[in-house]
Amino acid sequence: MDLKNQGLILKIVSVFVTGLWVAGLIIGNIYLVLIAILIIIIEIPFIYLKKDHMKEMFQNEDKIVEDERTQLINEKASTMTLGIFIATLLYVAIIILALRNNFPEWTLVGYSLICFSVLCLAIYSISRFYYSRKY
């Protein structure tokens, strides 16, 4: 089987898994979500074996998918999005914690948002350190 057909099968499986996720969440059926997770776990070794050929599997030969300018725009947009998202999480967490006397049931949510913000910053810092060494 050539790479284009493998890419088509991978796309179909991905759409099917996404449909299972959405249906499981809408219906509230945990078994559909577990089936989607099982399919993803089965799919991971195949994707790992074909990781060097992903561009050939999904790229159309007729047109240019992206160039350096598009990559730079995507990098800048994703960095800005990450910064705004983390800042918003922190501000919401601070507001929730400031109102903890009036709304004590929301205190755990505030601390959770702070933990997620710190986790995002840690992942960003580790990946930035890794890629600064790699490139």
Side-chain angles (χ1 to χ4, degrees), residues 13-24 36:
V13 169
S14 296
V15 168
F16 180 70
V17 168
T18 304
L20 282 176
W21 281 105
V22 171

Side-chain angles (χ1 to χ4, degrees), residues 32-64:
L32 291 177
V33 176
L34 290 176
I35 290 171
I37 292 172
L38 181 66
I39 292 172
I40 289 173
I41 290 172
I42 293 170
E43 194 177 32
I44 287 174
F46 172 75
I47 292 172
Y48 182 76
L49 290 174
K50 299 292 183 177
K51 69 179 178 190
D52 295 333
H53 302 290
M54 286 294 164
K55 193 169 190 175
E56 292 90 18
M57 289 171 75
F58 296 111
Q59 186 175 18
N60 192 355
E61 296 174 9
D62 299 343
K63 59 182 178 181
I64 297 173

